[in-house]
Amino acid sequence: MNFKKKKKKKHAMSTSIIKQSRRLLSIASNVSEVVGGTPLVRLNRISSKCKASVLAKLEYMNPGGSLKDRIAVSMVNEAEEKGLISPDRSVLIEATSGNTGIGLAMVAASRGYKCIITMPRTPNVTERYMLCRAYGAEVRLTDPADGAAGSVRLAQEVAASTPGGFLVSQFTNAANPRAHVDGTGPE
């Protein structure tokens, strides 16, 4: 037998990519099930003169196209587990400047929730607005001069006046950073 160490092929598929491919080939019952598990890519040119490996996590491969899909799933999962929300009685409400709202609108649509997103009417809001609307969310725009605080204020008002309104509160919700402690980091 030849026990010589085999040379690694420069472009061989890594185990994580194979696992990712298998996961993508399975049929998920809900879009939330395919959030996370994004591949890592070694940045060889950047780290060629370093002792450490430099890796990039390809979060754009989440179904909503962003890292923020993870926190949307985490915040909705936790609220459901605590019995705070259910699709038949709750309206998810959130202030955002974009990607969290897109992720939340996606999760809400896949689970049967009504969703209301508030965001500043900035010049570049069109794409984010359209994506939230495409997932079925109602979007309420605020004066850009009021910044994020204006969107948060409107979301609080909407939650207080909407039967079953649940303010997701990404800025203060402990499930937001926990998504990264439990998911992104270990991956």
Side-chain angles (χ1 to χ4, degrees):
M1 288 193 150
N2 185 354
F3 290 103
K4 288 184 182 178
K5 195 173 182 180
K6 290 183 180 180
K7 284 187 177 180
K8 276 189 173 180
K9 290 183 181 178
K10 191 172 183 178
H11 300 289
M13 280 183 96
S14 71
T15 305
S16 64
I17 296 296
I18 293 168
K19 286 179 185 175
Q20 176 79 4
S21 298
R22 286 187 185 139
R23 185 177 70 98
L24 292 173
L25 294 174
S26 64
I27 298 173
S29 62
N30 183 301
V31 73
S32 298
E33 294 175 8
V34 296
V35 170
T38 55
L40 289 164
V41 175
R42 188 175 315 281
L43 302 179
N44 296 313
R45 288 180 55 196
I46 291 174
S47 62
S48 65
K49 295 179 182 162
C50 299
K51 289 183 180 180
S53 292
V54 178
L55 307 173
K57 191 128 178 75
L58 304 183
E59 289 298 303
Y60 72 87
M61 293 182 75
N62 280 309
S66 166
L67 171 78
K68 300 297 183 139
D69 293 355
R70 289 176 183 268
I71 69 169
V73 169
S74 179
M75 293 185 296
V76 171
N77 282 351
E78 185 171 289
E80 286 178 340
E81 289 164 8
K82 289 180 175 180
L84 301 174
I85 60 172
S86 67
D88 60 332
R89 63 177 169 80
S90 304
V91 179
L92 305 181
I93 301 164
E94 184 58 358
T96 180
S97 61
N99 286 335
T100 300
I102 293 165
L104 191 59
M106 177 190 71
V107 172
S110 72
R111 297 188 188 184
Y113 287 95
K114 182 178 178 192
C115 183
I116 301 172
I117 301 295
T118 63
M119 65 175 67
R121 178 179 306 182
T122 57
N124 60 352
V125 75
T126 306
E127 180 183 5
R128 291 169 295 178
Y129 175 90
M130 296 302 289
L131 284 168
C132 289
R133 293 290 301 133
Y135 284 121
E138 177 183 331
V139 181
R140 298 188 187 179
L141 300 174
T142 60
D143 187 333
D146 295 334
S151 293
V152 170
R153 205 168 27 258
L154 178 58
Q156 291 168 339
E157 293 167 8
V158 171
S161 65
T162 301
F166 177 78
L167 191 58
V168 179
S169 300
Q170 66 171 311
F171 303 115
T172 58
N173 191 323
N176 178 340
R178 198 168 22 261
H180 304 301
V181 170
D182 296 342
T184 317
E187 288 175 21

